[in-house]
Amino acid sequence: MSHPFFERHRATLDRAVQAIADRGYWSAYPESASPKVYGEGAAEAGKAAFDALRGKAFALEQPGTVGATGGERSPYGFALGITYPKADVDALFATIEAARVLWGKAGPEAWVGVCLEALARINQQSFLMANAVMHTTGQAFTMAFQAAGPHAQDRGLEAVAYAWDEMRRIPAKALWEKPQGKNEPLKMEKRYRIVPRGIGLVIGCCTFPTWNGYPGLFADLATGNAVVVKPHPGAILPLAISVKIIREVLAEAGFDPNVVTLVAHPAGDDTAQKLALRPDVKLIDFTGSTANGDWIEQHARQAQVYTEKAGVNQIVVDSTADIKSVARNVAFSLALYSGQMCTAPQNIYIPKDGIDTGEGHLSFDQVAAALAEAVQKLLGDPARAVEILGAVQNDGVLNRIEGARHLGPVVLDSVSIAHPAWPQAAIRTPLIVKLTAADGDHYLSEWFGPIAFVIATESTAESLAIARNAVKEHGALTLSLYSIHPDVVERAVDVAEDAGVALSINLTGGVFVNQSAAFSDFHGTGANPAANAALTDSAFVASRFRVVQHRLHV
């Protein structure tokens, strides 16, 4: 018998499964924040709900609570003042172990139904989520609404669709009949049970807690696993809201809400490492630094580990028919959320002798100047600029900007902009520094934030060679090419496929290299050091469950 939540959302699930097969544009959750879509007063209600959470204990009743923790500070200049349950981890895990037994036997339709209902309810709280993400990550409001709301929800649904698509391939039972010549055939009935792996751990990041967190969370849950969500100490609230909603749905569906729990902790302690090494943690999803991701991959041997780490994203400029369109597109990619995106470009390779354009040949310095001018034009109006840049999430970004200034000649300096509504916010424009191909010690590591290098190479061939090696050795989530020559495009495709990185070619319109669309774009490939998995493909979900059979003679 189907679960009521499964039947309620069956049409959405079927359409999502179709979308992952077709890979065209589709979204289940509208990205427009218009009252016509989400209802009159929805925006005001979301803001009021966020304000009501500030300065209080977050209402989340979990077993094993031994106090409170919290210390989030909005990048826009104020303390949130929210505290969260502090867990006695051993006591909490004992409860999770008991909760997951019934959940693990419920079967795919119940698992998927609960996920779909939870995503629908999370979508209804998109304005609350937008405020929570804005004031933990520093994203501007519109970006926070879209990226942390509907786009993140789409990524969660995408993982559920892949999980369902994999699980439904397994029949519940089969009649096995082997002919025996003149004798009666051998007959057996075989039954197949999808069995979850156990407990999953989702380790959140401080810049995109929901967009990066939902795929692993919902992939675990949709395959019958219990999930422990460990947010980054600087961005607890968005995942706490998510966990609270999921727990409510679990309880309504007749399950122990402790199937999904939150472990908040202070900055600087070893909670993540201790959780990752627990023998009862069988699945780990991690987004964050290369050092921490590598440590988990190397030490958490008892678990299936999925990581998204740092990388060096690159743009190869060979030639273009329209340098202004190229510059505008790249400028937006550099400025969006102050470059605090795992997909944001950092290295821009330009032949030292310049490039051919529709306006004639331009020197290296002219191309660099065109990029700088486009950034300045984009951010010329401070009121508009802050809605693109957002706020700097942490002091590490500010320190990197200062350090990068001294690596080479500054083409465009990073400057502060005063936010008209949040005067305490740290707002910084992109920094562009000029280097040469020989400066690999500087540019072949990630400078997370609004930092870009224009790098003079001998030729496009050298640019592509550097890009290939950089992806293979240091990892990357994006690679971009600008060229009017089909043979150069073909070589770049070969480089991307060999190195294992997504390639964007001649983006000059309203699509940007640092944007990734659910149901269509594979975010990460798992084929280079920046990530060992892709969001989302079959491999991301298929190892989260096992099939156990039993058979008997008929």
Side-chain angles (χ1 to χ4, degrees):
M1 182 177 174
S2 294
H3 193 279
F5 285 156
F6 183 85
E7 292 304 324
R8 179 182 296 179
H9 300 286
R10 183 65 190 259
T12 299
L13 177 63
D14 289 345
R15 184 63 185 88
V17 170
Q18 178 187 337
I20 62 174
D22 298 342
R23 318 276 336 152
Y25 171 75
W26 181 70
S27 173
Y29 309 106
E31 68 176 6
S32 170
S34 168
K36 294 179 181 178
V37 177
Y38 285 91
E40 293 291 340
E44 293 79 7
K47 176 65 165 61
F50 169 73
D51 289 339
L53 294 174
R54 290 175 55 187
K56 297 175 185 172
F58 188 82
L60 187 69
E61 293 186 10
Q62 289 188 163
T65 298
V66 291
T69 186
E72 295 155 297
R73 184 171 181 81
S74 170
Y76 291 91
F78 61 88
L80 269 61
I82 302 172
T83 58
Y84 305 89
K86 184 177 181 181
D88 176 326
V89 173
D90 288 336
L92 182 65
F93 269 73
T95 309
I96 295 168
E97 192 62 36
R100 74 179 188 87
V101 174
L102 178 62
W103 175 247
K105 293 181 181 298
E109 291 191 1
W111 303 334
V112 169
V114 165
C115 289
L116 295 170
E117 177 67 17
L119 283 164
R121 295 192 193 183
I122 288 170
N123 175 252
Q124 293 168 0
Q125 298 298 324
S126 291
F127 283 98
L128 167 60
M129 190 65 73
N131 283 279
V133 168
M134 175 181 178
H135 289 295
T136 52
T137 71
Q139 293 176 34
F141 179 81
T142 299
M143 182 178 185
F145 178 86
Q146 292 180 342
H151 294 176
Q153 296 149 18
D154 275 339
R155 281 295 183 192
L157 176 60
E158 180 183 49
V160 174
Y162 268 103
W164 172 250
D165 203 32
E166 289 300 310
M167 292 187 296
R168 70 175 179 169
R169 300 174 192 270
I170 311 299
K173 63 180 180 179
L175 178 64
W176 183 85
E177 191 170 324
K178 181 179 181 180
Q180 295 294 300
K182 294 180 181 180
N183 298 321
E184 283 291 311
L186 293 173
K187 293 183 179 181
M188 300 197 80
E189 182 179 284
K190 302 184 181 184
R191 293 182 180 267
Y192 308 97
R193 175 69 62 82
I194 292 174
V195 177
R197 297 291 294 272
I199 299 175
L201 171 65
V202 175
I203 300 175
C205 65
C206 63
T207 48
F208 287 89
T210 58
W211 198 98
N212 280 109
Y214 283 178
L217 195 170
F218 283 102
D220 280 349
L221 202 60
T223 50
N225 299 282
V227 190
V228 175
V229 178
K230 190 219 77 68
H232 188 283
I236 302 170
L237 183 59
L239 289 176
I241 293 168
S242 306
V243 166
K244 182 179 174 67
I245 292 171
I246 297 169
R247 286 171 61 87
E248 291 168 354
V249 173
L250 282 162
E252 286 184 32
F255 298 104
D256 188 328
N258 296 313
V259 165
V260 176
T261 53
L262 183 82
V263 175
H265 66 98
D269 72 7
D270 60 353
T271 297
Q273 292 90 334
K274 285 181 176 177
L275 290 172
L277 295 182
R278 289 186 66 96
D280 41 3
V281 168
K282 301 301 184 185
L283 298 158
I284 300 175
D285 287 87
F286 168 87
T287 304
S289 71
T290 297
N292 289 339
D294 286 348
W295 188 92
I296 290 172
E297 289 176 358
Q298 291 162 13
H299 292 90
R301 297 295 188 180
Q302 85 291 351
Q304 178 78 38
V305 176
Y306 305 87
T307 58
E308 183 193 303
K309 301 174 287 188
V312 179
N313 300 317
Q314 305 163 100
I315 299 176
V316 174
V317 181
D318 169 73
S319 54
T320 179
D322 184 355
I323 187 63
K324 289 185 178 179
S325 293
V326 170
R328 280 196 297 268
N329 189 281
V330 173
F332 188 83
S333 291
L334 297 178
L336 185 61
Y337 184 33
S338 302
Q340 297 170 113
M341 304 176 69
C342 57
T343 49
Q346 173 183 298
N347 295 352
I348 304 169
Y349 306 110
I350 305 165
K352 67 177 185 179
D353 294 328
I355 65 169
D356 291 329
T357 76
E359 300 175 358
H361 191 82
L362 295 181
S363 69
F364 173 93
D365 286 338
Q366 286 175 310
V367 177
L371 295 174
E373 182 182 359
V375 171
Q376 289 174 309
K377 284 186 176 179
L378 176 69
L379 305 177
D381 175 8
R384 178 171 182 258
V386 297
E387 297 306 320
I388 298 170
L389 293 166
V392 171
Q393 205 280 335
N394 58 69
D395 289 342
V397 174
L398 300 177
N399 294 336
R400 280 189 290 275
I401 294 171
E402 185 58 34
R405 274 197 180 102
H406 307 292
L407 299 180
V410 173
V411 177
L412 180 67
D413 202 2
S414 175
V415 299
S416 299
I417 295 180
H419 197 297
W422 307 98
Q424 300 302 313
I427 315 288
R428 297 291 186 276
T429 63
L431 170 74
I432 302 178
V433 174
K434 182 162 66 173
L435 299 174
T436 70
D439 295 320
D441 287 349
H442 296 328
Y443 64 77
L444 289 179
S445 58
E446 187 188 41
W447 292 77
F448 188 75
I451 299 163
F453 304 112
V454 286
I455 300 160
T457 63
E458 289 294 325
S459 62
T460 295
E462 185 181 43
S463 298
L464 288 170
I466 293 171
R468 181 199 304 263
N469 292 335
V471 174
K472 286 189 168 186
E473 294 177 17
H474 305 282
L477 289 169
T478 63
L479 175 64
S480 186
L481 171 75
Y482 290 97
S483 180
I484 59 174
H485 303 298
D487 61 316
V488 174
V489 172
E490 190 174 331
R491 293 207 306 272
V493 170
D494 287 342
V495 165
E497 291 178 352
D498 177 57
V501 64
L503 174 66
S504 297
I505 303 164
N506 293 328
L507 296 185
T508 54
V511 176
F512 305 93
V513 68
N514 40 357
Q515 295 174 325
S516 178
F519 305 106
S520 187
D521 292 321
F522 292 102
H523 174 74
T525 63
N528 74 67
N532 73 357
L535 304 181
T536 302
D537 60 9
S538 297
F540 186 69
V541 300
S543 289
R544 296 175 193 259
F545 66 89
R546 292 290 185 249
V547 179
V548 178
Q549 70 172 47
H550 64 264
R551 59 186 181 175
L552 63 160
H553 283 293
V554 176

